Amino acid sequence: MPIAKRAVAELLGTFWLVFGGCGSAVLAAKFPEVGIGLVGVSLAFGFTVVTMAYAVGYITGGHFNPAVTLGIFAAGRIKFGDVIPYIVAQLIGAVLAAWVLATIAAGNGTDAIAAGLAANGFGEHSPGGYTAATAFLTEALMTFFFLLVILGTTSEGAPVGFAPLAIGLTLTLIHLVSIPVTNTSVNPARSTGPALLVGGWALSQLWLFWVAPILGAVIAGGVWKWLGKK
């Protein structure tokens, strides 16, 4: 498959993840009386991965996340030439999704950007007031196990056809645990889209949501490469 087509598929998948996941938080989480709450937002993020992994995963592998791309590279599953195009496409998709979401939210006069646009944060910008060190540990740990599930369920010998479900359920679980800590990233693109629009504090804290997920993912890729050796 040409890299241009695979990059577009990654863009679309990441757009859907950011728009669906962050959109559920911005538009529906606290909707009067029938808001979906933390559980609903967690499910929404999981559903985005399941649906797009089935839709375009056969084209790209269904990364939709720079940390996933780098973790899979560390595991020896993709060539270096694919890494940059994938990450650029993921970032474009995330930024477009954040912009479209902010535009839709403004349809009833809501200033979703001023409200944070579901951006990730720590300290006073953590939903539960968690420190930067705690946020870093949480993001690295959650991404580590996310990559282990991705690599394991897509390996030879794993049950065929069930990987998207397992990966989506894992992302749901991750959100159920870590939304109070960081609003849950485990995905630098997901963090970058809202942060670029919000600016200020969100941009100043964005470094953590690149470094921690990538660290966790690359370690997981190395661990899985070692585990898979016979």
Side-chain angles (χ1 to χ4, degrees):
M1 186 74 68
I3 186 61
K5 290 187 176 181
R6 286 184 281 135
V8 169
E10 281 294 309
L11 186 157
L12 293 172
T14 310
F15 180 100
W16 189 236
L17 185 152
V18 174
F19 180 78
C22 294
S24 69
V26 170
L27 302 175
K30 296 183 179 178
F31 193 76
E33 299 181 10
V34 293
I36 62 174
L38 185 153
V39 173
V41 173
S42 300
L43 287 169
F45 271 100
F47 290 160
T48 63
V49 170
V50 172
T51 52
M52 289 309 291
Y54 277 122
V56 300
Y58 70 96
I59 298 173
T60 68
H63 299 185
F64 319 140
N65 180 339
V68 170
T69 297
L70 290 169
I72 290 175
F73 172 71
R77 294 274 193 93
I78 60 170
K79 58 188 179 187
F80 180 73
D82 290 341
V83 171
I84 301 301
Y86 272 37
I87 292 177
V88 170
Q90 292 156 1
L91 289 171
I92 293 172
V95 173
L96 286 174
W99 176 77
V100 172
L101 174 58
T103 301
I104 291 173
N108 67 355
T110 298
D111 189 346
I113 294 176
L117 201 63
N120 301 112
F122 53 84
E124 64 179 305
H125 300 292
S126 157
Y130 288 87
T131 65
T134 304
F136 193 100
L137 175 60
T138 301
E139 288 290 328
L141 182 67
M142 294 295 175
T143 313
F144 174 85
F145 281 100
F146 190 38
L147 260 292
L148 283 187
V149 172
I150 291 171
L151 291 166
T153 58
T154 57
S155 294
E156 184 179 349
V160 178
F162 291 99
L165 289 175
I167 295 166
L169 287 172
T170 302
L171 190 59
T172 298
L173 174 59
I174 287 169
H175 279 78
L176 287 171
V177 173
S178 61
I179 284 178
V181 183
T182 62
N183 230 9
T184 308
S185 172
V186 300
N187 183 337
R190 172 262 184 269
S191 297
T192 300
L196 286 179
L197 272 70
V198 173
W201 68 266
L203 278 178
S204 71
Q205 295 190 354
L206 182 60
W207 66 269
L208 188 147
F209 302 104
W210 274 85
V211 177
I214 288 173
L215 178 64
V218 169
I219 292 173
V223 168
W224 183 260
K225 194 173 182 180
W226 174 76
L227 283 174
K229 286 185 178 180
K230 296 181 179 179

